[in-house]
Amino acid sequence: GGDMSRYAMNGVYMYDLISSGGVWSVDDLVAHAERYFARYPALSLGHHPPLPSIALLPFYAIFGVSMFAARLSALAFFALAVWQLYALGKRLLGWQVASWATLLFITNVYVLRFGQYVLSEMPMLALVLTSLNALCAYCETGQKKHYAWFVLAVAASLYAKQLAIFMFPMYALILVARFGWRHLRERHLIAWTLVGALLVAP
């Protein structure tokens, strides 16, 4: 099914690389990838974002390499998105609105389809919702740990799909609206933002 098979095969490549003991240099890694691609040309390493394929590894390890295992990974991201949507709705508008929003989400055919496929859209959505939850928690409490979780979730969302970068203006707007411009000069804010920049630089 197009990109789905490529994400699944990227995960198989990573699984086989780890299972074989890995490599110890960049040249060996490149040579290994070239040989693997010659046998399995469905690989799209370097083209598709890596996180959806990396997320397959524990499922392959537990259930074996199969589309069943790959779909379980997709289902896990769908469950995370549902949980984070409800948590965000409850935090902002109360449990009644959160329940209805979640119900509409899980009964949407388009959303359900992405909840079954090994693609980048559902992981990105789940991690963007996680980022928003962590950011709202930071705005409520001011605790540094919430901002740290926010930065890590944002970095993960970019590794799920690069389009998550378009959420950056919204994150900044939320921070400025809650604390004002001066708060952006806080040391912990700058330090964790730099950590996030280093994480997404590759």
Side-chain angles (χ1 to χ4, degrees), residues 182-202:
R182 290 184 179 180
H183 186 76
L184 299 183
R185 293 180 293 185
E186 291 284 334
R187 287 185 180 179
H188 72 273
L189 209 75
I190 294 172
W192 274 107
T193 302
L194 287 174
V195 169
L198 289 173
L199 288 173
V200 302

Side-chain angles (χ1 to χ4, degrees), residues 90-101:
K90 185 180 179 182
R91 183 187 300 276
L92 297 177
L93 299 166
W95 71 268
Q96 296 95 332
V97 173
S99 299
W100 279 109

Side-chain angles (χ1 to χ4, degrees), residues 24 32 36 40 47 56 68-69 78 104 107 159-160 173 179 191 193:
W24 300 101
H32 184 276
Y36 206 94
Y40 307 107
H47 175 70
L56 296 171
F68 170 76
F78 177 69
L104 289 170
T107 56
Y159 279 106
L173 183 62
F179 296 108
T193 302

